[in-house]
Amino acid sequence: MIRRNVSVIFFLGLFLGLLAILFWKSSPQIAPLVKETPEPAPSEVLFHGRLNLLTISDLYVFENTAERDIESLLLYLQGRLSSLHYLYENIYSGRKRLKEDLLIGLWVEIDQDGFFKNVKVQFNNAEKNALNKPLVHFVEKYWRYKKSNKGSTSLLIPFQWHAKYSRSLLNNVQLE
């Protein structure tokens, strides 16, 4: 009988031994916490990435028969800028980096269902248009805005990617 149950007795003893070590081990001495006064965070901290933040003065609205609020549309577009930052990083990676800032003007039409249609690149200051097609495809496929009762909104959005940028948080940046 003992030969048959040797493995069971061994694992039971091992389990009980681990439990004994766990419960009878002396508790470690914990040093008292020293309260440090945190430095006050600056009121306006902004990530300064490769893509310029959009402001209300950057948007050129040509038609707004849907009577959409442009400020809420601006907030929507600002929320999508990080994806365009990484789209740029995928296209212009490592050795393909541009020496100058890239400026692209994107013409979009938002229909009454919120789909971005007729997306076109109006201007591009790069020698090669490597970002044009992926940018248009990305905007048409992934961007959706709120539905409206009627009409559409047509606008020109200028995007500017910096050739050199900092990943650090900047202090004392004035927001417009």
Side-chain angles (χ1 to χ4, degrees):
M1 176 173 130
I2 292 180
R3 285 187 181 173
R4 282 188 286 168
N5 297 327
V6 139
S7 62
V8 173
I9 294 172
F10 173 73
F11 286 116
L12 183 63
L14 183 64
F15 177 72
L16 291 176
L18 288 174
L19 279 177
I21 290 172
L22 195 83
F23 286 115
W24 284 297
K25 186 178 178 185
S26 64
S27 61
Q29 295 293 336
I30 299 175
L33 294 175
V34 177
K35 291 186 178 180
E36 295 180 12
T37 56
E39 294 180 18
S43 61
E44 297 177 5
V45 176
L46 180 67
F47 175 76
H48 186 253
R50 188 168 296 281
L51 190 58
N52 244 8
L53 281 178
L54 292 173
T55 61
I56 196 78
S57 61
D58 291 336
L59 298 178
Y60 300 98
V61 180
F62 289 96
E63 178 187 3
N64 192 7
T65 57
E67 298 176 359
R68 289 191 166 98
D69 182 29
I70 302 304
E71 290 180 1
S72 63
L73 180 62
L74 174 68
L75 287 176
Y76 174 82
L77 292 172
Q78 286 174 343
R80 300 317 181 262
L81 291 182
S82 62
S83 60
L84 297 183
H85 171 84
Y86 290 108
L87 181 68
Y88 178 92
E89 290 292 324
N90 286 340
I91 302 294
Y92 295 109
S93 61
R95 296 180 185 154
K96 300 178 188 176
R97 291 270 187 247
L98 297 175
K99 305 276 190 263
E100 299 175 355
D101 291 355
L102 176 63
L103 182 65
I104 292 181
L106 195 67
W107 173 271
V108 294
E109 182 180 328
I110 308 170
D111 63 3
Q112 77 181 43
D113 292 327
F115 292 101
F116 283 72
K117 300 285 184 178
N118 301 328
V119 179
K120 300 173 193 163
V121 174
Q122 290 292 6
F123 57 88
N124 184 348
N125 70 341
E127 294 175 8
K128 296 181 181 176
N129 299 330
L131 191 61
N132 288 2
K133 199 177 224 182
L135 179 63
V136 168
H137 176 70
F138 184 82
V139 169
E140 285 180 343
K141 184 173 181 181
Y142 295 110
W143 286 12
R144 300 289 181 269
Y145 193 64
K146 299 179 218 170
K147 292 182 179 182
S148 68
N149 295 335
K150 60 178 167 75
S152 66
T153 305
S154 299
L155 59 135
L156 180 68
I157 310 167
F159 295 111
Q160 181 180 10
W161 286 269
H162 296 289
K164 296 180 182 178
Y165 76 105
S166 168
R167 291 185 182 194
S168 65
L169 292 173
L170 299 178
N171 295 333
N172 302 327
V173 175
Q174 298 297 323
L175 295 176
E176 297 180 77

